[in-house]
Amino acid sequence: MKFSFCTIAWRHRTLKLDDMAYIISLLGYEGIEIWSKHLFEYQAALPALKKLLNHSKLQVPMITPYFDFTSSKKKWRDSVLEAETFIHLANEIDCRIIRCFTGRVGSEFATQREWENGVEGIQVIADKAAEFNIKIAIETHVNTLADRIESIQKLLKDVNRPNVGLVLDFYNLYENEKGMDPLLVIEKLYEHTIHVHAKNAEANLGLITPFNYVMEKDRAILGIRNLADGDLDYRAILNELNRRGYQGYVSIECFEVNRNPIRVAIDEIKFLREIKQPDFQPLG
């Protein structure tokens, strides 16, 4: 199990990717998950970015664009074109996973046509990514086709591509399914998991997962907490992932607006190191 930090933490702050990488590396993270906007800033200078990453001894486990295969034909086509761009960008910086949102319609409300468009869109970009040995990771997220365990399992079955897996976001499922046990989530979805997003909150203080909540600069998201302090027991979650021999990245997703992301990164890497102890044996 390895740890990374998502640059989306600086979505509302002016900080160059160079400085983000320096800070994340200095704190002891092994990876930097790059938000699409930050990657675009380096689109014309990828050799410089690769040199920066090598100097910082950071891997890029995943890049995080936004696709929409369920809204309209135009957005479907635009998402495929955007995916092609990100596939080439990922390949240039030795990143082997691209995050995928299906769109902004939840599985419960999706029409048959919206579902089929979502499946086809993922298949198309997965086939393109496979040419470069890149995987597509569908994020478990509210208001998408991957917002409930049953819909996630059906989506993966319908897509049926060997290079398609999951970004397992426990809090997204917990908030959407009203208290879903994260250990049950692992039991049901672990075999498809290729990346993990980690965040925590107190649900009784309000939602934190809707798209507009985290992107609006002036919105106060009151419930966000450190991994050690929210509703989810991340000690149990990480211990179970460790026990199962999970070799991928756990990536800290910081949506704080009151605390500086650097302080969050410091607190979380300390917690993660305490959890990652050598006394847990993987399942044989």
Side-chain angles (χ1 to χ4, degrees), residues 8-263:
I8 196 173
W10 286 279
R11 67 201 179 283
H12 300 318
R13 299 169 188 263
T14 303
L15 193 68
K16 291 184 178 181
L17 187 55
D18 308 50
D19 297 321
M20 297 179 206
Y22 175 77
I23 292 166
I24 291 169
S25 174
L26 190 65
L27 293 177
Y29 288 90
E30 298 153 284
I32 178 171
E33 182 180 313
I34 304 180
W35 187 40
S36 55
K37 182 178 179 181
H38 294 143
L39 185 57
F40 266 129
E41 293 171 358
Y42 266 87
Q43 190 171 5
L46 291 180
L49 176 57
K50 191 170 182 179
K51 184 177 179 180
L52 166 67
L53 293 168
N54 288 336
H55 179 74
S56 302
K57 298 181 180 179
L58 287 173
Q59 291 185 326
V60 181
M62 187 170 75
I63 57 177
T64 55
Y66 298 89
F67 305 136
D68 186 348
F69 295 116
T70 57
S71 294
S72 66
K73 290 182 179 179
K74 182 180 184 306
K75 287 187 176 181
W76 192 99
R77 291 192 296 267
D78 288 346
S79 292
V80 171
L81 292 174
E82 188 175 353
E84 290 176 343
T85 297
F86 278 106
I87 288 168
H88 288 285
L89 291 175
N91 192 54
E92 287 294 322
I93 59 173
D94 298 326
C95 172
R96 305 267 64 94
I97 302 177
I98 297 174
R99 189 271 304 277
C100 175
F101 280 142
T102 60
R104 297 198 180 191
V105 59
S107 62
E108 184 179 358
F109 304 102
T111 65
Q112 185 63 28
R113 175 62 62 86
E114 288 170 332
W115 183 271
E116 291 172 355
N117 287 344
V119 168
E120 184 184 3
I122 298 168
Q123 289 173 330
V124 168
I125 67 172
D127 290 344
K128 293 178 182 294
E131 298 176 16
F132 297 88
N133 193 31
I134 290 173
K135 296 179 180 180
I136 300 298
I138 302 168
E139 180 163 357
T140 60
H141 202 287
V142 297
N143 299 323
T144 72
L145 301 181
D147 57 3
R148 296 178 298 116
I149 287 179
E150 293 77 9
S151 67
I152 293 164
Q153 291 172 324
K154 176 173 169 45
L155 184 62
L156 289 167
K157 182 179 179 180
D158 289 355
V159 169
N160 191 27
R161 291 295 188 273
N163 65 323
V164 173
L166 294 177
V167 181
L168 193 54
D169 189 311
F170 293 97
Y171 196 86
N172 287 349
L173 289 174
Y174 172 80
E175 188 170 277
N176 193 57
E177 297 214 57
K178 311 303 180 189
M180 172 65 68
D181 181 357
L183 297 186
L184 176 62
V185 172
I186 294 175
E187 180 182 337
K188 297 288 187 180
L189 300 177
Y190 178 78
E191 65 179 305
H192 304 291
T193 300
I194 57 177
H195 193 80
V196 171
H197 271 172
K199 60 178 176 284
N200 213 349
E202 294 183 29
N204 66 323
L205 296 179
L207 300 175
I208 72 165
T209 60
F211 290 101
N212 60 310
Y213 279 36
V214 299
M215 299 312 297
E216 292 176 4
K217 187 174 182 179
D218 297 324
R219 181 182 289 273
I221 309 177
L222 301 178
I224 291 181
R225 297 291 181 267
N226 284 341
L227 294 185
D229 300 323
D231 288 350
L232 296 187
D233 182 355
Y234 268 94
R235 292 176 179 83
I237 291 170
L238 295 172
N239 284 341
E240 179 62 16
L241 290 174
N242 203 7
R243 190 180 72 87
R244 288 174 178 261
Y246 177 66
Q247 297 297 310
Y249 274 87
V250 174
S251 201
I252 300 299
E253 208 174 25
C254 169
F255 292 140
E256 285 272 14
V257 292
N258 296 319
R259 294 192 304 156
N260 191 294
I262 298 173
R263 179 181 169 188

